[in-house]
């Protein structure tokens, strides 16, 4: 599209199967507020799902000026077809200036499909957002080349300007007084328009999910743990800290822990408050997935390991010596 | 099953170094490789062919002349045929334009080869990391898609079961052909080429499609000037400088010191 009808900024709020909002959507309302204010537009939360009252309420408490809700059976499970039909239709009707989606598996499935249908530009997996001073467009900044290079992308002539934004980069704001105008849009998608179906849930990790992206603390193990049982002290420390267990590619490829735990370029990108890397050398691909953490602690035998270059606190030592002491001290301090 | 695998030649990002003076990427001397995710896509196609040897695998790449190397490599690994799209007019295309060009090239190749049932892509290339070209191809062709696929199983009647990485764990998705599947890293390693296949691959003639060879393409939708996104600037991210390194004589002392520092900093 070559025109916008409004200066509004849209944030897609992804929903869980139970109708609650995924964190990343609520996080995006934080930069969305700033961008919308800077351009004199409304901050609009778009919520698509089934029985989504909880998600609508959450968006309302996190500062949306307007909420567009699309509720229907056909949206209970995410499907590329149903969601792209609904979102495209909404954009064509309302004509926002820009739109942000979480760079989740589903967001990165949906974003390119919708951008392509609207013939507009999409910037993937952004880690910082601003308004370009020269032309007032969104300056979408993202890593490329495995995190070796950052690129700032503009979408100068097409609307809406779309970006997917990495989970965990922005912090969810404090809850405020709800004030949004809520618009319910009824968009029905026929069953035969949805060309994929979920045949089987092979593993349901929603309960015990390895939720690295939303974790506040992550304790990760790498090659240095030496084997599956080597993850024990890592898990012990994670347990006392209430942390999620992560892993480097080396540990996953060796079959010591499942891929769901992997942090890095071919795994998850994380940005916890505290990241403790145990026996991880810190290859650039691993760094690409965790260097956005607020505080990085590295424990490694090798004093020259590259992980020390980005660590706020590094201990040169064997993780099997350091972790039990650290775990014990934390336990004592919390007793 | 007629299968097409889209592949890309990429610099090995593990080899990229930063020029400490100019603060730019040093790309000279960095090896060019087959994008690893495209390798997983090729393996997925090869597994379908293992189960049904009647199947045929064609590989396609877009890029400069030297990118032919990834086609030869793909032929050596598992592919039967290869095509290349190359031309200056295509240069500078963003993901929207790139996926449009590739979708038009696919339609052109289908005039010779017949319709492809499944189009395989890597979920993303490790240089651009956008993950947008696969879904873009699907949209331009009007096909359904499964992204983050791990393995595909061809069924009767043009039906494909696809194991994929979902948000909350792995799922089995059913999809009808023709379709686009984009692959992430599975739990198994892709196969290596045999010496015999390597030799044979070198002898395969690879047709190159230039702009003039794709008459249906709309020139107003390709290249840098028709790309909706523009790179405003690139920069090398500020490396965090290393913080405090603790290395006491006794590891107990190091550990205690770490605990104390983390407590003082209120991070634990």
């Amino acid at each position: 599209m070559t025109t916008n009808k409004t200066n509004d900024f849209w944030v897609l709020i992804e929903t869980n199967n139970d109708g609650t909002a995924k964190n990343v959507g609520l996080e995006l309302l934080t930069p969305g507020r700033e961008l919308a204010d800077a351009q004199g537009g409304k901050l609009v939360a778009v919520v698509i799902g089934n029985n989504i009252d909880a998600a609508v309420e959450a968006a309302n408490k996190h500062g949306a000026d307007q909420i567009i809700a699309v509720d229907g059976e056909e949206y209970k499970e995410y499907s590329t077809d149903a969601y792209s039909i609904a979102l495209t239709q909404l954009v064509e009707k309302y004509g926002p200036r820009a739109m942000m989606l979480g760079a989740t598996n589903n967001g990165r499935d949906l974003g390119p499909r919708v951008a392509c249908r609207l013939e507009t530009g999409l910037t993937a997996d952004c880690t910082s957002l601003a308004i370009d001073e020269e032309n007032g467009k969104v300056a979408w900044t993202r890593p490329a080349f495995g995190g070796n290079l950052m690129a700032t992308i503009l979408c100068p002539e097409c609307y809406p300007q779309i970006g997917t934004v990495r989970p965990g980069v922005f912090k969810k704001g404090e809850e405020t007084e709800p004030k949004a105008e809520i618009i319910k849009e009824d968009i029905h998608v026929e069953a035969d328009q949805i060309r994929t179906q979920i045949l089987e849930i092979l593993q349901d990790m929603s309960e015990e999910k390895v939720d690295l992206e939303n974790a506040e603390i992550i304790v990760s193990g790498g090659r240095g743990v030496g084997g599956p049982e080597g993850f024990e002290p890592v898990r012990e420390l994670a347990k006392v800290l209430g942390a999620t267990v992560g892993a480097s590619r080396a540990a996953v490829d060796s079959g010591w822990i499942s891929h769901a735990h992997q942090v890095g370029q071919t795994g998850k990108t994380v940005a916890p408050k505290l990241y403790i890397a145990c026996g991880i050398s810190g290859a650039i691909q691993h760094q690409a997935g965790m260097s956005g953490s607020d505080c990085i602690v590295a424990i490694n035998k090798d004093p020259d390991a590259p992980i020390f270059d980005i660590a706020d606190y590094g201990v040169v030592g064997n993780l099997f010596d350091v972790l039990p002491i650290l775990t014990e001290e934390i336990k004592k301090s919390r007793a | 099953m007629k299968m097409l695998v889209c592949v890309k030649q990429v610099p090995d990002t593990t080899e990229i170094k930063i020029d400490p003076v100019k603060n730019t990427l040093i790309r000279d001397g960095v090896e060019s490789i087959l994008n690893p995710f495209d390798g997983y896509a090729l393996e997925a196609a090869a597994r379908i062919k293992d189960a049904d040897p009647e199947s045929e695998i064609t590989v396609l790449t877009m890029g400069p002349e030297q990118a032919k190397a990834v086609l030869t490599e793909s032929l050596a690994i598992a592919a039967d045929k290869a095509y290349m799209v190359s031309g200056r007019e295509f240069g500078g295309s963003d993901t929207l334009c790139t996926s449009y060009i590739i979708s038009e090239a696919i339609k052109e190749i289908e005039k010779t080869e017949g319709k492809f049932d499944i189009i395989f892509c890597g979920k993303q290339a490790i240089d651009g990391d956008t993950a947008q070209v696969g879904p873009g191809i699907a949209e331009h062709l009007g096909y359904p898609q499964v992204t983050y696929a791990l393995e595909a199983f061809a069924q009767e009647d043009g039906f494909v079961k696809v194991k994929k990485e979902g948000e909350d764990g792995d799922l089995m998705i059913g999809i009808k052909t023709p379709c686009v599947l984009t692959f992430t890293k599975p739990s198994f390693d892709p196969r290596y080429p045999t010496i015999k296949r390597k030799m044979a691959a070198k002898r395969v003639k690879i047709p190159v499609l230039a702009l003039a060879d794709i008459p249906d393409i709309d020139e107003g939708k390709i290249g840098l000037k028709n790309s909706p996104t523009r790179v405003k600037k690139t920069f090398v991210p500020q490396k965090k400088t290393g913080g405090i390194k603790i290395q006491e004589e006794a590891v107990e002392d190091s550990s205690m010191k770490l605990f104390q520092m983390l407590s003082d900093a209120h991070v634990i």
Side-chain angles (χ1 to χ4, degrees), chain A residues 301 314-318 321-322 325, chain B residues 245-258:
Chain A
K301 282 192 292 198
V315 175
V316 181
N318 190 323
D321 297 325
V322 177
I325 298 171
Chain B
K245 207 184 227 176
I246 307 164
Q247 194 169 12
E248 303 296 320
E249 293 262 318
V251 72
E252 290 78 13
D253 296 338
S254 295
S255 309
M256 290 301 290
K257 201 166 166 185
L258 174 65

Side-chain angles (χ1 to χ4, degrees), chain B:
Chain B
M1 227 15 115
K2 277 187 82 75
M3 300 180 279
L4 178 77
V5 184
C6 300
V7 298
K8 185 182 182 189
Q9 187 180 52
V10 295
D12 186 350
T13 53
T14 57
E15 296 296 317
I16 287 179
K17 303 263 185 306
I18 307 295
D19 183 324
V21 183
K22 286 189 272 180
N23 217 22
T24 52
L25 290 189
I26 305 171
R27 294 171 81 160
D28 291 348
V30 174
E31 202 191 344
S32 289
I33 56 168
L34 171 67
N35 176 42
F37 292 107
D38 302 343
Y40 307 141
L42 181 61
E43 174 63 26
R47 285 179 173 229
I48 289 180
K49 192 174 172 175
D50 291 344
D52 173 17
E54 299 284 291
S55 300
E56 190 179 70
I57 302 173
T58 302
V59 279
L60 170 66
T61 196
M62 178 164 107
E65 178 66 24
Q66 66 263 27
K68 236 180 204 175
V70 293
L71 293 177
T72 307
E73 186 181 347
S74 303
L75 287 163
I77 294 167
D80 304 296
K81 292 177 178 172
Y83 282 86
M84 171 147 193
V85 178
S86 197
R88 287 178 55 187
E89 302 87 345
F90 303 131
S93 293
D94 72 354
T95 59
L96 182 71
C97 292
T98 299
S99 55
Y100 171 71
I101 297 163
I102 293 174
S103 69
E104 287 301 315
I106 290 171
K107 289 184 205 164
E108 190 60 38
I109 294 165
E110 285 181 335
K111 290 178 186 167
T112 315
E113 300 290 343
K115 275 243 171 232
F116 295 111
D117 300 302
I118 311 177
I119 293 162
F120 295 74
C121 301
K123 76 158 179 177
Q124 68 196 55
I126 61 165
D127 52 356
D129 284 328
T130 71
Q132 286 167 194
V133 173
I137 293 170
E139 179 63 26
H140 283 298
L141 293 173
Y143 290 177
Q145 73 189 36
V146 176
T147 53
Y148 297 89
L150 295 161
E151 208 173 351
F153 310 92
Q155 311 289 302
E156 302 289 307
D157 304 327
F159 193 70
V160 185
K161 282 170 128 181
V162 186
K163 185 179 167 188
K164 79 162 275 178
E165 236 176 45
E167 299 274 350
D168 299 323
D170 295 349
L171 303 169
M172 190 67 85
I173 304 285
I175 190 168
K176 272 245 170 97
T177 59
C179 60
V180 173
L181 310 177
T182 79
F183 284 80
T184 185
K185 184 179 162 32
S187 55
F188 44 81
D189 290 323
R191 69 199 61 195
Y192 290 101
T194 59
I195 300 282
K196 201 175 143 200
R197 284 197 69 101
K198 270 190 177 172
M199 303 290 285
K202 284 188 190 146
R203 292 192 295 269
V204 175
K205 264 195 72 110
I206 300 174
V208 179
L209 304 183
L211 180 60
D213 301 313
I214 314 173
D216 295 338
I217 214 163
D218 178 350
E219 287 184 49
K221 289 184 170 187
I222 63 169
L224 181 66
K225 69 173 190 296
N226 295 305
S227 291
T229 59
R230 292 292 153 82
V231 178
K232 163 100 180 176
K233 62 169 180 181
T234 60
F235 55 98
V236 173
Q238 270 213 317
K239 276 257 156 86
K240 262 178 105 163
T241 44
I244 302 159
K245 207 184 227 176
I246 307 164
Q247 194 169 12
E248 303 296 320
E249 293 262 318
V251 72
E252 290 78 13
D253 296 338
S254 295
S255 309
M256 290 301 290
K257 201 166 166 185
L258 174 65
F259 169 72
Q260 208 52 56
M261 284 177 166
L262 294 180
S263 300
D264 293 347
H266 302 290
V267 291
I268 56 170

Side-chain angles (χ1 to χ4, degrees), chain A residues 4 9 30 35 61 140 157 182 260 276 295 320 329:
Chain A
N4 58 318
F9 276 72
T30 305
L35 296 173
K61 283 183 179 160
W140 310 89
E157 278 148 32
I182 298 171
I276 305 180
C295 177
F320 294 104
E329 287 305 315

Side-chain angles (χ1 to χ4, degrees), chain A residues 292-312:
Chain A
S293 308
D294 291 346
C295 177
I296 298 169
V297 174
I299 300 161
N300 206 300
K301 282 192 292 198
D302 174 10
D304 299 321
I307 192 79
F308 287 122
D309 297 340
I310 61 161
D312 298 283

